[in-house]
Amino acid sequence: MKFEHILYAKRDATASITLNRPDKLNAFNVPMLEELLAAVTDAASDAGVRAVLLTGAGRGFCAGADLESRRVPEGGQKPDLGKNLLKWYNPVVKTIRTMEKPVVVAVNGVCAGAGAGIATAGDIVLAARSASFIQAFCKIGLVPDAGNTWHLPRLIGVARARGLALLGDKLPAEQAEQWGLIWKCVDDAKLMEEATAILRQFASAPTRALAYSKALYNASFSNDLATQMDLEAQFQRRCGDTADFWEGVKAFLEKRKPDFKGR
Ligand code: LHQ
């Protein structure tokens, strides 16, 4: 696929996706969603890719759905807003959450609406100190979508998630870190350096174990303790079948750095 609204590059066992409509704060139009879904699907299925980075070009991360394309002519037909969610946004969020490798999100600026849903689906979310998160939906008569009502209460609790959704207040990156919405808030100038360092660490990590950890945390809030521990045992058994586990133990005993192959 030709990428015109995002940048997509693969190198050194990593894939980088940059939302690239900076003059519109990377708001999602359909071609951009189509490209984003193609990129995350490719990154997920490419066994050579062991870690994925998602960020935005310019001063914003993503302003949510492109409202310009939602301009309804007088007397025009009302749009089916569920359609684009089912076709594009939901598969993007599901692919990020279920891909068997970690996704690092570098939130470089304002992150609104569905943009916040996609950002918070990441495994490690870093944000520049000047960035902010806005559940902008209530300001235009919508409900939070793109996984926001699933991720936010789990990350920051219902009181805060509901408050953000109903008030539409801007949550600065520092407070997002304090509330546990993101992993870390960093100085703007350091954002890409820190995100890249984490990406590199993941590119030489025991990928299968990270994928299984991710699956365990995906399941955690829906399971009771006994079911979850059974699942841990299942995944630990699978880890025992990986070459990386044996390499990890061998390297520890030989007092050297492990050389994980992601298998
Ligand atoms: C934009 C946008 C934008 C187009 C800034 N669209 N141009 C909805 C419907 C359907 C199905 C699926 O799900 C969804 C989910 C959603 O995401 S709904 C939420 C949609 N997003 C919003 O309501 C946020 C709208 N934007 C804003 O409130 C502000 O732009 C924020 C707070 C993000 C940033 O404010 P500022 O830093 O002051 O920037 P700005 O407002 O001046 O925007 C810069 C440019 O970007 C400007 O264009 P222009 O040509 O005038 O320079 C904006 O029009 C454009 N832009 N967001 N969503």
Side-chain angles (χ1 to χ4, degrees):
M1 166 178 263
K2 199 164 167 228
F3 293 103
E4 291 177 342
H5 301 84
I6 67 166
L7 306 174
Y8 182 52
K10 293 196 272 189
R11 65 166 199 175
D12 301 335
T14 67
S16 297
I17 302 168
T18 306
L19 306 176
N20 195 26
R21 297 182 71 219
D23 52 330
K24 297 295 169 195
L25 301 178
N26 304 318
F28 288 120
N29 58 14
V30 167
M32 186 181 178
L33 284 166
E34 195 174 0
E35 292 175 21
L36 178 60
L37 181 57
V40 291
T41 303
D42 178 79
S45 62
D46 185 339
V49 171
R50 293 167 68 184
V52 179
L53 174 71
L54 175 63
T55 191
R59 73 174 178 90
F61 173 77
C62 175
D66 187 326
L67 298 179
E68 192 56 44
S69 56
R70 289 287 160 204
R71 212 184 270 276
V72 185
E74 196 71 36
Q77 209 186 350
K78 289 199 183 109
D80 174 358
L81 297 185
K83 208 169 116 193
N84 278 3
L85 288 168
L86 296 176
K87 190 161 183 195
W88 307 113
Y89 293 89
N90 297 5
V92 167
V93 170
K94 282 191 247 176
T95 305
I96 291 172
R97 279 292 354 112
T98 57
M99 75 168 75
E100 295 184 311
K101 54 200 79 175
V103 178
V104 178
V105 182
V107 179
N108 51 299
V110 69
C111 180
I118 285 168
T120 53
D123 297 296
I124 298 285
V125 184
L126 300 173
R129 209 165 295 284
S130 66
S132 56
F133 296 81
I134 313 174
Q135 296 286 297
F137 308 91
C138 62
K139 302 204 168 184
I140 53 168
L142 294 179
V143 297
D145 58 21
N148 275 297
T149 64
W150 198 90
H151 284 116
L152 264 63
R154 283 167 171 76
L155 291 165
I156 61 176
V158 177
R160 285 168 168 166
R162 197 167 44 205
L164 289 175
L166 301 187
L167 296 169
D169 287 354
K170 193 180 263 195
L171 182 72
E174 275 181 22
Q175 203 170 354
E177 180 195 288
Q178 285 157 18
W179 282 12
L181 182 68
I182 61 170
W183 172 245
K184 209 169 159 192
C185 164
V186 300
D187 288 341
D188 289 26
K190 291 268 179 203
L191 178 70
M192 291 319 290
E193 193 184 308
E194 294 222 15
T196 307
I198 294 173
L199 198 69
R200 283 212 194 95
Q201 178 180 331
F202 284 151
S204 55
T207 312
R208 301 308 310 154
L210 298 197
Y212 298 151
S213 290
K214 183 166 167 169
L216 280 166
Y217 283 99
N218 281 345
S220 172
F221 278 82
S222 321
N223 282 337
D224 60 27
L225 175 62
T227 310
Q228 186 68 14
M229 287 195 298
D230 283 349
L231 203 58
E232 289 173 356
Q234 280 178 40
F235 279 117
Q236 205 65 291
R237 183 173 288 142
R238 289 200 216 170
C239 284
D241 284 337
T242 65
D244 282 344
F245 165 64
W246 295 103
E247 165 62 8
V249 174
K250 197 162 175 274
F252 175 79
L253 296 174
E254 293 170 3
K255 299 192 188 301
R256 62 170 172 81
K257 206 169 162 283
D259 178 17
F260 294 125
K261 303 287 191 209
R263 295 191 294 267

